Amino acid sequence: MTSQVSSPAEQADAALVGGQRSSGSGGEGKEVRRLDRVIIRFAGDSGDGMQLTGDRFTSETASFGNDLSTLPNFPAEIRAPAGTLPGVSSFQLHFADHDILTPGDAPNVLVAMNPAALKANLADVPRGAEIIVNTDEFTKRPMAKVGYDTSPLEDGSLSAYNVHPVPLTTLTIEALKDFGLSRKEAERSKNMFALGLLSWMYHRPTEGTEKFLRDKFAKKPDIAEANVTAFRAGWNFGETTEDFAVSYEVAPATKAFPTGTYRNISGNLALSYGLVAASRQADLPLYLGSYPITPASDILHELSKHKNFGVRTFQAEDEIAGIGAALGAAFGGSLAVTTTSGPGVALKSETIGLAVSLELPLLIVDIQRGGPSTGLPTKTEQADLLQAMYGRNGEAPVPIVAPRTPADCFDAALEAARIALTYRTPVFLLSDGYLANGSEPWRIPEVAELPDLRVQFASGPNHVTVDGTEVFWPYKRDEHTLARPWAVPGTPGLEHRIGGIEKQDGTGNISYDPANHDFMVRTRQAKVDGIEVPDIEVDDPTDDSGQGAGTLVVGWGSTYGPITAAVRRVRGAGERIAQAHLRHLNPFPRNLGEVLARYDKVIVPEMNLGQLATLLRAKYLVDARSHTQVSGMPFKAEQLAEVFKEAIND
């Protein structure tokens, strides 16, 4: 989860397989070993059901009470060529009996459904790890596709690993021989056989998966029972085969969670729930104008299910129409949202500028992915920060909020809505593919814990002219927030003019006056600069003499998990290092300059080429050191820990 207290178990996070706590004997004489943490990666063709397999294992792990973090990784193509390296799909799950923050640097167990899956993932697997391979796929043609001249199962190249050769396809077909399925139909259940085997190995609950399969295939009960049978066959295989002489237990993370009701949640789902909660707390209908784009589409899919909460979703013909409809809904009095990824932000930029000019609340949700252009649709990146900050013509300031974990996407959505509604401004919510698709336990909040976001619409005249006439001025501002009034169209007496041409202060009439334009530009900037955001908190443990760290790590967005895990490792090695993480990127917290000035060295890890570091250097004149990565994958904690140690000792 997100606790920053470093326990002995957490300090041992660098171990390859997690500390062995105890061992004993299981049923039928098999040994049971207790571990504190395990990292499992399922890998196969994009049609092998690896995401479903990983998701089901994750759900049962969450219900068991472990802390967990996941990393789905899949091809950009809808259906990549079978058996090829570009077509490999994988799902990594890190679960533990204590507080964890990342999906893990390297898997302790790799389940490889074919030669491509083995070859694509082997470089990440540490020596001594377990590899379960589907031997049925290691024939001449599939191996030749990925460049294997000889079978890696026979040529000794896997001697450094604990390899379990399992004919998954054959065993699945044999288990389903009484169902009258074709060979191809039966083969599709081999992922459930693998899931059953892994569920036995790690003592995962099974009832939830069986119920899920029966619900999923309710209209095809024979298929449902076939999958349940394959799942049970995998479990029984682990229980009876001599190749798996040991099973493992990872106890629930009872000390990692505050008291409450928890569920496993992905970033996009948490963000969707946050938007629904924001609309309910604001007592406003929620309107989403969107065009499907990976990895943001799941938000559109989810919100379309919640008409009962006053949610209206519109799948537009393109990105421009999506945000245009959303801005129209904002004018009409809705909590308006548009969702997209980086390429879509570029298309929406003119309408975002219009929202700045109209000063209407609008949430622009950008689930960042690799770029430029259409880039890497299924890979993660943080490279839209400067686009969100400056990517419009003219001076068009927009507040920016960024969640740090999948579960935090819920709270970040509420915060973005608070800013948009209070200050009458469009707001960027910058998530990314890593957060969107990853998952972790989330404590479901009580309604009483949620902020009150209700707003007052304009209901009558707000200005008296020189001749004593009462009129409505759409740009007469609140003296504290500088927000203009929000008037619902059709309210008698509140007719006013809107459009993208510069407004006259107060009246909102079209104005080409140079002095007025200068005033309005500065006023819109002052409104954003004046947004109240919490001070940034610094995690800086002091030694016995009260001396703090000399090095500060500053992050934003999804780098929180890897940075925090790396900081724990560095502290576990006896070094002092401080950490601060930004949620608000425009405006920055008011104490940020003072915080940065306290440290001799400031390191900024980012999944871009140094965009936040550039902003910090420009605004605060600090020598912020960038550590960057643009591989489409999240940072590894071990890698960052080495970077931090080098910086401390530099």
Side-chain angles (χ1 to χ4, degrees):
M1 299 297 285
T2 57
S3 169
Q4 295 185 357
V5 179
S6 183
S7 70
E10 291 157 354
Q11 293 170 3
D13 194 44
L16 284 178
V17 183
Q20 182 177 320
R21 302 290 182 80
S22 63
S23 63
S25 295
E28 299 188 9
K30 290 200 173 185
E31 181 183 2
V32 178
R33 296 178 186 170
R34 178 167 291 182
L35 308 176
D36 66 3
R37 55 185 286 271
V38 174
I39 303 167
I40 298 174
R41 184 181 298 178
F42 299 93
D45 270 335
S46 57
D48 281 341
M50 294 297 94
Q51 303 304 319
L52 175 62
T53 304
D55 183 67
R56 289 314 312 160
F57 196 95
T58 298
S59 295
E60 298 299 350
T61 296
S63 69
F64 188 70
N66 295 117
D67 196 10
L68 61 89
S69 180
T70 68
L71 178 62
N73 187 16
F74 36 85
E77 292 81 3
I78 293 175
R79 185 68 175 94
T84 63
L85 294 175
V88 173
S89 174
S90 67
F91 188 105
Q92 183 162 305
L93 166 68
H94 182 190
F95 62 102
D97 66 1
H98 59 276
D99 173 27
I100 58 173
L101 296 152
T102 74
D105 289 354
N108 310 131
V109 182
L110 171 65
V111 180
M113 302 297 281
N114 59 19
L118 177 65
K119 190 163 191 176
N121 291 279
L122 189 59
D124 293 336
V125 182
R127 297 171 64 88
E130 296 194 70
I131 300 177
I132 300 172
V133 292
N134 179 15
T135 56
D136 289 325
E137 292 295 324
F138 280 75
T139 57
K140 187 173 182 180
R141 186 178 179 186
M143 289 191 295
K145 277 187 179 182
V146 295
Y148 281 131
D149 295 325
T150 60
S151 172
L153 307 181
E154 300 172 355
D155 63 9
S157 60
L158 301 179
S159 59
Y161 309 97
N162 185 13
V163 179
H164 300 277
V166 180
L168 288 172
T169 305
T170 299
L171 291 171
T172 303
I173 292 172
E174 177 64 22
L176 303 183
K177 64 182 179 181
D178 295 332
F179 282 83
L181 301 175
S182 68
R183 179 182 177 88
K184 186 175 182 180
E185 289 173 329
E187 281 184 11
R188 290 173 181 166
S189 296
K190 64 179 180 291
N191 64 324
M192 288 298 104
F193 189 101
L195 177 60
L197 173 57
L198 268 293
S199 297
W200 172 83
M201 282 183 66
Y202 292 96
H203 296 248
R204 300 296 91 185
T206 60
E207 294 82 2
T209 293
E210 293 189 10
K211 182 179 184 303
F212 168 83
L213 291 171
R214 292 191 172 101
D215 291 344
K216 180 178 177 63
F217 298 106
K219 295 182 179 179
K220 299 179 179 179
D222 290 346
I223 298 299
E225 290 309 312
N227 278 281
V228 169
T229 299
F231 175 69
R232 291 177 175 175
W235 176 284
N236 293 333
F237 178 78
E239 183 77 11
T240 58
T241 183
E242 295 181 0
D243 190 39
F244 292 90
V246 178
S247 64
Y248 304 92
E249 286 184 348
V250 181
T254 53
K255 297 181 180 180
F257 305 118
T259 301
T261 302
Y262 286 80
R263 61 157 293 166
N264 183 51
I265 200 165
S266 69
N268 273 350
L269 183 58
L271 200 154
S272 300
Y273 287 174
L275 294 173
V276 174
S279 75
R280 302 295 287 183
Q281 293 302 104
D283 196 22
L284 296 173
L286 178 65
Y287 184 94
L288 173 66
S290 183
Y291 179 76
I293 183 171
T294 302
S297 299
D298 285 343
I299 301 172
L300 171 61
H301 300 160
E302 182 60 35
L303 289 181
S304 68
K305 303 174 184 177
H306 297 291
K307 295 178 182 178
N308 58 313
F309 286 117
V311 178
R312 179 171 295 178
T313 54
F314 170 54
Q315 180 175 318
E317 65 267 31
D318 57 36
E319 296 280 7
I320 299 171
I323 190 174
L327 185 57
F331 177 60
S334 293
L335 176 59
V337 183
T338 188
T339 53
T340 189
S341 187
V345 174
L347 294 169
K348 296 177 188 292
S349 61
E350 183 179 5
T351 308
I352 297 172
L354 176 60
V356 172
S357 177
L358 299 182
E359 300 188 44
L360 285 170
L362 173 67
L363 301 186
I364 306 112
V365 178
D366 178 8
I367 312 298
Q368 300 166 95
R369 73 188 202 192
S373 188
T374 52
L376 303 172
T378 62
K379 307 302 179 184
T380 194
E381 204 164 273
Q382 287 184 298
D384 293 348
L385 176 56
L386 293 184
Q387 179 178 219
M389 186 75 77
Y390 300 120
R392 294 161 294 284
N393 64 298
E395 296 288 344
V398 176
I400 303 171
V401 176
R404 63 186 186 178
T405 69
D408 187 49
C409 289
F410 178 87
D411 295 319
L414 285 165
E415 174 64 359
R418 177 192 72 86
I419 293 172
L421 294 170
T422 303
Y423 297 91
R424 309 287 197 272
T425 178
V427 176
F428 262 104
L429 181 55
L430 290 185
S431 180
D432 60 40
Y434 174 36
L435 295 183
N437 297 317
S439 65
E440 67 175 348
W442 171 57
R443 188 183 71 83
I444 302 172
E446 299 294 334
V447 174
E449 299 173 27
L450 302 179
D452 185 349
L453 301 179
R454 287 174 293 182
V455 297
Q456 294 294 324
F457 290 112
S459 58
N462 61 357
H463 184 75
V464 180
T465 63
V466 175
D467 63 5
T469 304
E470 292 187 343
V471 297
F472 175 67
W473 274 16
Y475 283 84
K476 187 169 186 176
R477 301 178 183 279
D478 181 282
E479 63 181 10
H480 299 293
T481 65
L482 298 182
R484 76 172 187 88
W486 193 3
V488 176
T491 306
L494 302 189
E495 298 84 0
H496 59 283
R497 184 178 290 110
I498 65 170
I501 297 177
E502 184 62 277
K503 313 294 186 297
Q504 183 183 53
D505 178 39
T507 69
N509 294 329
I510 294 173
S511 174
Y512 298 103
D513 178 63
N516 178 77
H517 177 59
D518 184 274
F519 177 80
M520 293 295 279
V521 167
R522 294 180 187 277
T523 301
R524 288 188 290 262
Q525 183 66 58
K527 180 173 70 170
V528 173
D529 290 343
I531 292 172
E532 293 186 7
V533 303
D535 283 349
I536 191 168
E537 296 181 359
V538 183
D539 175 21
D540 186 352
T542 58
D543 60 19
D544 294 339
S545 65
Q547 180 70 31
T551 300
L552 173 69
V553 182
V554 179
W556 70 278
S558 66
T559 57
Y560 173 79
I563 288 174
T564 306
V567 165
R568 289 178 177 179
R569 294 186 185 203
V570 171
R571 291 175 182 170
E575 301 280 5
R576 290 201 307 271
I577 189 168
Q579 177 187 0
H581 206 80
L582 285 164
R583 164 171 284 185
H584 298 90
L585 297 153
N586 193 31
F588 286 129
R590 284 168 174 71
N591 69 330
L592 180 57
E594 181 270 326
V595 166
L596 295 174
R598 292 205 306 256
Y599 294 90
D600 299 327
K601 301 168 187 175
V602 177
I603 308 169
V604 186
E606 299 180 78
M607 292 188 294
N608 56 47
L609 294 183
Q611 296 186 16
L612 175 60
T614 297
L615 294 174
L616 296 180
R617 290 189 191 108
K619 186 172 180 65
Y620 300 109
L621 303 180
V622 297
D623 183 20
R625 305 184 185 185
S626 281
H627 178 73
T628 63
Q629 175 176 299
V630 281
S631 64
M633 296 295 289
F635 284 113
K636 293 184 176 180
E638 184 177 5
Q639 169 200 359
L640 288 180
E642 291 302 316
V643 170
F644 298 164
K645 289 176 184 177
E646 290 176 7
I648 291 170
N649 298 316
D650 183 5

